[in-house]
Amino acid sequence: MIEKTLKTTTGRIKIKIPSSLHELTLGQLIEIQDKPELNDLEAIGILSGIAVEQLQNVKNYDDLQQFGETVLLLSTQIAWLFNSGDVPRKITFNLTRGANTVNVMRNLSIEPAGAFMAAREIIGDEINHHIERFGHDDWQDNFKPSLKACCQVLAHYFYCRATGEKYNEYEAEEFCTEIKKLRVTEALPIAKHFFTCYPSLSKPKTGYSLRPRQFWKKRQGSSVLKNSNISIP
């Protein structure tokens, strides 16, 4: 982390942002990539959790230069992040009831059946959408899932394992909130496996038609990341 206390027009403000990908969360990455025209203050605001309005009151803009350089460094690292093949062995969730460390199974099988079916639909829809936009030829060479879809698949995969609860489609959807807290270096390698190394889940539907998934439409307004359909660079 990089941390610095700066003078503002009303006093002082402490700014702390990640300095490496290991400190960057999936939720922060989603926010960053949701704004393709992101400026320095907006990026620093997302990474620090400080409102842009507060950052605008820093007396000397040059004091923010060090943070801007860190943001630039992170952006270059993010471009290669999804290519990582190092799947972590354990993931820790800091839930309301306390921390829970979950083993990541080597075969990454999705269970129970409800979670499997939901993940299959998410992956199939992502592939179909890509094919509709860019065509079927060599789609696998160019396909990169949205961060929204990665988050959703991981929510279904980890919900039962992390909470110890029986599978519930709506509760699994809401578990995206916890998935967003994971480090990107943990979350994206696992998501990559499901989208690129799981043949039974990555088969496009017949005719490659984009059919909206009824699962995510059942409760309008409740979907986490509803407007964050962001592609990984």
Side-chain angles (χ1 to χ4, degrees):
M1 288 283 184
I2 176 174
E3 184 176 336
K4 196 173 183 180
T5 300
L6 305 180
K7 291 182 179 180
T8 69
T9 56
T10 58
R12 294 177 179 273
I13 187 173
K14 181 181 289 186
I15 303 175
K16 183 178 180 181
I17 70 170
S19 57
S20 72
L21 290 183
H22 293 285
E23 299 166 335
L24 184 69
T25 68
L26 181 60
Q28 289 173 320
L29 181 58
I30 287 172
E31 283 193 72
I32 289 173
Q33 295 196 334
D34 193 29
K35 298 180 179 179
E37 302 300 325
L38 199 70
N39 62 41
D40 286 349
L41 284 184
E42 290 172 329
I44 294 171
I46 290 172
L47 294 175
S48 66
I50 298 173
V52 172
E53 290 76 15
Q54 290 182 269
L55 295 174
Q56 289 173 336
N57 285 304
V58 171
K59 276 194 171 185
N60 188 346
Y61 177 77
D62 290 340
D63 289 341
L64 295 169
Q65 185 63 33
Q66 184 177 3
F67 294 105
E69 293 173 354
T70 301
V71 170
L72 180 60
L73 177 62
L74 285 174
S75 67
T76 58
Q77 295 175 355
I78 288 170
W80 301 99
L81 181 61
F82 194 69
N83 293 324
S84 173
D86 297 328
V87 177
R89 295 183 178 182
K90 297 177 182 287
I91 295 289
T92 298
F93 292 93
N94 294 306
L95 306 177
T96 304
R97 68 190 70 175
N100 185 21
T101 299
V102 180
N103 290 325
V104 180
M105 306 303 292
R106 294 183 66 86
N107 63 0
L108 293 180
S109 59
I110 297 179
E111 53 187 42
F116 176 90
M117 293 173 66
R120 180 177 60 186
E121 286 292 300
I122 295 166
I123 294 173
D125 284 351
E126 280 291 293
I127 293 173
N128 292 338
H129 181 62
H130 175 84
I131 290 174
E132 282 201 345
R133 291 183 62 193
F134 304 106
H136 183 261
D137 294 340
D138 301 322
W139 70 267
Q140 290 175 309
D141 295 332
N142 304 310
F143 173 66
K144 291 182 180 179
S146 68
L147 291 178
K148 171 185 176 180
C150 289
C151 186
Q152 290 173 339
V153 168
L154 293 180
H156 286 281
Y157 174 70
F158 280 117
Y159 173 70
C160 293
R161 291 171 167 83
T163 66
E165 301 289 342
K166 293 181 179 180
Y167 180 75
N168 178 288
E169 57 186 17
Y170 298 124
E171 295 298 326
E173 178 184 352
E174 296 297 334
F175 199 67
C176 281
T177 301
E178 299 300 327
I179 297 299
K180 289 168 65 178
K181 298 175 185 177
L182 296 177
R183 293 179 294 178
V184 291
T185 51
E186 295 175 323
L188 291 189
I190 302 174
K192 174 189 175 182
H193 172 89
F194 291 124
F195 281 96
T196 62
C197 307
Y198 217 109
S200 62
L201 292 183
S202 61
K203 293 179 181 178
K205 299 182 182 72
T206 304
Y208 310 109
S209 60
L210 185 61
R211 178 173 56 83
R213 289 189 309 114
Q214 294 304 311
F215 170 76
W216 293 104
K217 301 297 183 181
K218 287 182 180 178
R219 189 172 62 176
Q220 292 185 355
S222 67
S223 180
V224 180
L225 308 179
K226 184 177 181 181
N227 300 313
S228 301
N229 192 17
I230 315 136
S231 293
I232 296 171

